[in-house]
Amino acid sequence: MKKTKKKTHRKVSNVQKRRKIQRYLRIGLILLVVLLIILMLIKIFKPSWLGGGSEESQEEKFEAIEPEIDVELLTVNPYSRPGQPTDKIKGIVVHYTANPGASAIDNRDYFEGLKDSHTTQASSNFIIGLEGEIIQCVPTWEVAYASNERNIDTVSIECCHPDESGKFNDETYRSMVQLCAWLCMKFELNEDDIIRHHDVTGKNCPKYFVEDEEAWKKFKKDVGRTLADF
């Protein structure tokens, strides 16, 4: 009789162990499902929390809306604003001023002064300054003397830079992306229609984007991502 009780006790004990293991497995499975759900939600709404996410998801977002523009049109003259109408706009040309530390208004005033100095023919539709300010010098439907044979069918943007490297600071860069995206929408273009002065003439302009192809690719990618949001 004692042996029977021991066997029964062992059977009960084994059943309890199996049930306990099964309970732990169920709890573990539930926790795993909950964790996966949490990870999916983080990936969707806060991907930066995961670390090692794609670089694109962590990049700054820009808005493809019309930026604030200070319209300071040049006087019509043969040296910086000829008053000649453009053809259909087919591209946007990015330049750098090659004048380290100078402001947008400094460069605008230089273009204006050419009507008196007659030293050269030069201008741009827009100038972006060191604080991100945007000055318009020539209407987009008029030729600016900036991009040689592409003056007739492009909009030109001169960009200020703080030093000899030609690298643009964050404020200037943000305005460059926003202005280019807005102009692309205005003229039904895309980021592939944005070129450098270098791509027209081979000139080292804009210096930083010529010497660092990856930086140029990133800039166009930022414009493309901005356009994709609209």
Side-chain angles (χ1 to χ4, degrees):
M1 192 69 179
K2 290 182 180 179
K3 290 182 179 180
T4 304
K5 284 184 178 181
K6 286 182 179 179
K7 288 181 180 179
T8 303
H9 178 72
R10 287 174 185 171
K11 287 181 181 180
V12 171
S13 180
N14 289 336
V15 169
Q16 288 175 337
K17 287 181 179 178
R18 284 197 297 270
R19 288 178 179 174
K20 192 174 184 180
I21 292 171
Q22 289 172 351
R23 185 166 63 253
Y24 287 152
L25 287 174
R26 283 197 296 270
I27 292 172
L29 183 59
I30 292 170
L31 290 174
L32 180 60
V33 171
V34 171
L35 180 60
L36 289 174
I37 292 173
I38 291 172
L39 288 173
M40 289 175 62
L41 292 173
I42 291 174
K43 186 175 181 180
I44 294 171
F45 296 106
K46 291 289 184 180
S48 60
W49 289 5
L50 295 176
S54 68
E55 180 182 348
E56 180 173 305
S57 67
Q58 299 178 26
E59 291 176 347
E60 182 176 1
K61 288 282 189 178
F62 301 92
E63 294 182 303
I65 59 175
E66 181 176 1
E68 182 178 342
I69 297 173
D70 179 12
V71 180
E72 299 282 350
L73 298 181
L74 305 176
T75 304
V76 176
N77 72 91
Y79 293 89
S80 55
R81 185 188 169 190
Q84 177 186 352
T86 62
D87 291 342
K88 177 180 172 58
I89 297 299
K90 298 179 181 177
I92 300 164
V93 186
V94 176
H95 304 252
Y96 88 130
T97 62
N99 190 9
S103 67
I105 196 64
D106 289 339
N107 285 282
R108 183 265 174 203
D109 290 346
Y110 167 75
F111 292 148
E112 177 68 13
L114 293 176
K115 74 180 190 303
D116 302 314
S117 67
H118 302 176
T119 54
T120 189
Q121 290 180 313
S123 60
S124 184
N125 295 100
F126 297 94
I127 306 171
I128 299 177
L130 296 172
E131 297 180 1
E133 72 275 21
I134 302 172
I135 293 179
Q136 183 170 13
C137 303
V138 178
T140 56
W141 57 87
E142 287 185 21
V143 165
Y145 288 141
S147 309
N148 302 75
E149 65 266 25
R150 293 301 306 274
N151 288 336
I152 194 67
D153 67 351
T154 59
V155 172
S156 55
I157 305 173
E158 286 278 358
C159 304
C160 296
H161 49 99
D163 56 44
E164 294 285 350
S165 72
K167 185 175 181 179
F168 307 111
N169 65 28
D170 292 342
E171 291 80 3
T172 303
Y173 187 88
R174 280 193 292 269
S175 291
M176 289 168 64
V177 172
Q178 187 177 0
L179 179 59
C180 283
W182 177 68
L183 289 170
C184 280
M185 292 197 305
K186 180 177 180 179
F187 293 106
E188 299 181 343
L189 306 173
N190 60 51
E191 67 272 23
D192 293 326
D193 298 309
I194 304 171
I195 61 175
R196 303 163 294 186
H197 191 187
H198 171 80
D199 300 315
V200 180
T201 65
K203 184 178 180 180
N204 191 23
C205 175
K207 176 180 168 67
Y208 186 69
F209 282 162
V210 173
E211 296 178 355
D212 189 337
E213 284 285 342
E214 291 305 312
W216 174 240
K217 290 177 182 177
K218 181 182 182 303
F219 172 74
K220 294 180 70 173
K221 182 179 179 182
D222 283 337
V223 176
R225 291 176 62 246
T226 303
L227 288 170
D229 291 338
F230 287 83

